[in-house]
Amino acid sequence: MTDQRDNIYASPLAELASFRFDQQVVNVFPDMIKRSVPGYTTIISMIGDLAERYARADSRCYDLGCSLGAATLAMRHRIRAANCRLIAVDNSKAMIERARQVMAADSAEVPVELVCSDLQQVAIEQASVVVLNFTLQFIDPAQRDQIVSKIYQGLVPGGVLILSEKVAFKDQPHHDLMIELHHNFKRTNGYSDMEIAQKRTALENVLIPEPLEHHRQRLKNAGFTSVDVWFQCFNFASLIAIKA
Ligand SMILES: Nc1ncnc2c1ncn2[C@@H]1O[C@H](C[S@+](CC[C@H]([NH3+])C(=O)[O-])CC(=O)[O-])[C@@H](O)[C@H]1O
Ligand SMILES: O=C(O)C(=O)Cc1ccccc1
């Protein structure tokens, strides 16, 4: 259904539009994200693991910027807590429509509500697990503090936020090395230099990475007491923040 190969940037494009999560991207998304994000499959599987551990009875688990619902499905298959429900949100209509088909083809029991909306418009309540898996990076940095604070407020004590992001590094030589290693990863996965260069241009001012220190500080400022990285490969990292 969704395993077409990503060749969106394979030929030279006269006009390189800014990257958008439109139908063309939806059609190739599972292939695109696996060949582009080092550790993606591992992170998805571990989100299932973390949800099993942290999901509480009578609570909600949120997947914000769910795309086709990979993290939602991983959680759905692992949550054992009674009366727990999943809320998966994305503001791309094309993504949510395809995610509905993905969810309908899955028979696990935990109820899933799919919401097509800007995640900033969604109330976060009675949450035990909130996932932002490579989503915050697409949101205006000026909005990020407010989003993380709202999530903190909506979590129950002992609840967690899992935040995965493409990150930047303050040390320029290290930053350049990580970018190069990421591009090598993409090349090894079959992307040409032209594909890598064109997508990089399309992502400029759309995907805005911040240093890990900024993410840590934002999470601490919001009130999270325990904040640390649990996964990192090159410039892709995932943090877990726990509400005391
Ligand atoms: N303001 C917003 N509100 C809601 N959704 C948004 C917003 N901004 C962007 N999105 C959505 O966030 C998703 C980011 S992809 C997440 C992968 C997924 N988490 C996965 O685990 O497979 C990451 C990537 O492609 O690198 C897209 O589906 C956007 O439509
Ligand atoms: O492809 C890249 O360079 C990325 O940084 C990751 C990515 C993956 C899927 C959509 C947008 C960005």
Side-chain angles (χ1 to χ4, degrees):
M1 179 168 48
T2 55
D3 37 22
Q4 281 180 46
R5 189 160 172 94
D6 168 25
N7 55 18
I8 293 176
Y9 296 103
S11 335
L13 298 167
E15 269 181 56
L16 206 48
S18 288
F19 188 87
R20 285 177 51 232
F21 291 96
D22 56 13
Q23 191 61 54
Q24 190 191 22
V25 167
V26 167
N27 292 342
V28 301
F29 189 73
D31 178 71
M32 171 188 275
I33 197 149
K34 278 188 218 114
R35 290 202 285 137
S36 304
V37 176
Y40 174 76
T41 307
T42 304
I43 293 170
I44 290 294
S45 158
M46 295 302 150
I47 287 174
D49 219 37
L50 288 164
E52 178 174 2
R53 181 179 290 258
Y54 285 99
R56 288 280 158 269
D58 307 311
S59 77
R60 302 175 190 180
C61 298
Y62 292 83
D63 182 5
L64 305 176
C66 61
S67 299
L68 303 184
T72 298
L73 273 187
M75 293 195 276
R76 193 183 196 194
H77 290 167
R78 295 290 296 274
I79 290 170
R80 302 275 169 265
N83 191 31
C84 194
R85 62 190 187 92
L86 280 155
I87 296 145
V89 181
D90 205 288
N91 66 351
S92 156
K93 195 164 172 275
M95 279 289 184
I96 283 285
E97 275 172 8
R98 183 65 63 84
R100 277 193 210 290
Q101 298 172 4
V102 172
M103 255 4 105
D106 175 77
S107 58
E109 273 170 27
V110 180
V112 178
E113 185 188 337
L114 283 159
V115 183
C116 187
S117 164
D118 184 329
L119 65 89
Q120 291 174 268
Q121 304 305 318
V122 173
I124 311 288
E125 288 163 338
Q126 212 45 38
S128 55
V129 179
V130 177
V131 172
L132 278 169
N133 200 37
F134 302 108
T135 301
L136 199 63
Q137 59 191 20
F138 290 105
I139 296 176
D140 176 1
Q143 303 290 314
R144 295 180 187 179
D145 286 1
Q146 201 179 305
I147 291 168
V148 169
S149 287
K150 190 174 97 168
I151 291 170
Y152 178 82
Q153 296 303 327
L155 280 164
V156 300
V160 294
L161 167 61
I162 300 159
L163 174 66
S164 312
E165 289 275 295
K166 186 177 194 175
V167 296
F169 297 91
K170 288 179 178 168
D171 181 82
Q172 194 63 45
H174 186 70
H175 182 82
D176 295 345
L177 174 63
M178 293 301 107
I179 300 286
E180 210 179 301
L181 290 172
H182 175 229
H183 288 172
N184 273 340
F185 169 87
K186 292 182 84 163
R187 222 169 279 125
T188 303
N189 287 333
Y191 285 117
S192 67
D193 288 338
M194 183 174 61
E195 283 179 288
I196 294 170
Q198 291 198 123
K199 187 169 180 207
R200 186 183 195 176
T201 303
L203 284 171
E204 263 165 35
N205 304 315
V206 174
L207 191 172
I208 304 168
E210 290 176 289
L212 274 170
E213 293 84 344
H214 288 199
H215 289 294
R216 276 186 214 280
Q217 198 54 55
R218 178 178 294 120
L219 291 160
K220 291 265 181 180
N221 290 347
F224 288 99
T225 46
S226 170
V227 174
D228 220 328
V229 171
W230 66 274
F231 181 91
Q232 185 172 350
C233 183
F234 312 142
N235 49 338
F236 291 82
S238 188
L239 298 105
I240 180 156
I242 310 176
K243 178 169 177 169

